[in-house]
Amino acid sequence: MPEVDLGFPRSFVEFANPDDATEVFRCDLTWLTSRWTCIFGAGCPGIYADAPDSGCCTLGAHFSDEDDHARVAGFVERLDPTEWELHDLGHRDGWTERDQDGELKTRVADGACIFHNSRDFPGGYGCALHAHALATGLEPHTTKPDVCWQLPLRRQFREVDPGDGSSYTEVSIGEYTRAGWGPGGADLDWYCSSNTEAHVAADPVYVGNRAELTALMGEAGYAELVVHCERFVAAGRPVPHPADPR
């Protein structure tokens, strides 16, 4: 597969969070101005070769915290059998489970997340929670588990001591690479973020993923990011993503 190797040069920008003086955003301009887009249902072969139709939904989704679970649970109650193929199974046997470490996640059923609708389902192929959002005029990131709508964006926090007795929180916004999956990332049969097959968007990531980035950074933080991204693009993207079209 035409996937570029990690370790290529990247360009970053840092700026204070307009809404929180204790935070500094560190944003990967190389990634955020790239032409990546989700190609689920449009050529995505899935992260495992034996489950090509389930994309990255094969393993189910972990919840980031109790609030994440509670938010999703509210939308699960709104789903009906015309939207969710495994509606009856989910309500009869439960739609969550614990992994080997005891962490709560969405249940895996029929080889994928229980909210994954098959291609043959009359209500539509793909994530039932995502489809419900589109059908009701909501942004998909409001109905799905955090990990689902963030991937392959990645937000990380790090406490920084500049050496003058003060400290601040660095909030990095970048690409969720294979390495982000931990040791198992190298075992994925296919992965999109650095794959040329997925770098086919008409708009760059910072435009196409406006809603998600706003949720991660706030309105003011996102507005400041746009200024830096537009400046980077105007300069000819001096450090481009190598998976982008030449």
Side-chain angles (χ1 to χ4, degrees):
M1 291 294 182
E3 186 174 346
V4 301
D5 292 330
L6 296 178
F8 52 83
R10 296 177 185 266
S11 181
F12 293 85
V13 64
E14 293 187 357
F15 57 91
N17 182 348
D19 294 325
D20 188 340
T22 69
E23 292 185 348
V24 171
F25 286 118
R26 185 173 190 266
C27 302
D28 182 351
L29 293 175
T30 295
W31 164 247
L32 293 168
T33 61
S34 77
R35 294 293 171 161
W36 175 88
T37 188
C38 177
I39 58 171
F40 181 87
C44 172
I47 58 175
Y48 293 119
D50 60 356
D53 287 343
S54 55
C56 58
C57 305
T58 309
L59 303 174
H62 286 78
F63 295 102
S64 59
D65 53 31
E66 292 182 0
D67 289 342
D68 185 28
H69 171 251
R71 176 178 53 79
V72 174
F75 285 104
V76 172
E77 291 304 311
R78 303 184 193 184
L79 296 177
D80 64 43
T82 68
E83 301 175 286
W84 181 17
E85 185 173 13
L86 299 180
H87 175 276
D88 293 347
L89 175 66
H91 281 280
R92 184 183 69 238
D93 298 338
W95 55 274
T96 62
E97 63 185 6
R98 299 280 178 177
D99 68 9
Q100 60 186 7
D101 297 318
E103 298 295 325
L104 190 66
K105 60 185 288 292
T106 63
R107 182 180 171 188
V108 172
D110 295 340
C113 174
I114 196 167
F115 296 107
H116 175 71
N117 294 332
S118 70
R119 288 188 181 274
D120 297 330
F121 179 57
Y125 167 56
C127 176
L129 291 164
H130 188 110
H132 178 79
L134 297 180
T136 56
L138 299 173
E139 291 285 359
H141 77 269
T142 65
T143 64
K144 300 163 66 175
D146 286 343
V147 67
C148 297
W149 64 262
Q150 291 180 21
L151 192 74
L153 297 171
R154 192 179 193 189
R155 180 177 62 179
Q156 295 176 285
F157 298 89
R158 183 172 72 97
E159 292 304 308
V160 177
D161 178 2
D164 60 359
S166 66
S167 65
Y168 64 88
T169 301
E170 177 188 272
V171 184
S172 65
I173 306 291
E175 177 182 345
Y176 203 111
T177 64
R178 279 180 178 268
W181 291 72
D187 298 329
L188 302 179
D189 293 322
W190 188 88
Y191 189 61
C192 68
S193 73
S194 291
N195 196 299
T196 57
E197 293 176 339
H199 282 248
V200 293
D203 294 317
V205 169
Y206 78 92
V207 174
N209 291 80
R210 174 197 58 78
E212 293 83 357
L213 287 166
T214 300
L216 292 173
M217 305 177 69
E219 291 279 358
Y222 175 72
E224 181 72 12
L225 173 66
V226 170
V227 172
H228 292 286
C229 286
E230 290 181 344
R231 188 176 298 156
F232 189 71
V233 171
R237 295 181 63 214
V239 188
H241 199 294
D244 275 357
R246 300 296 182 181

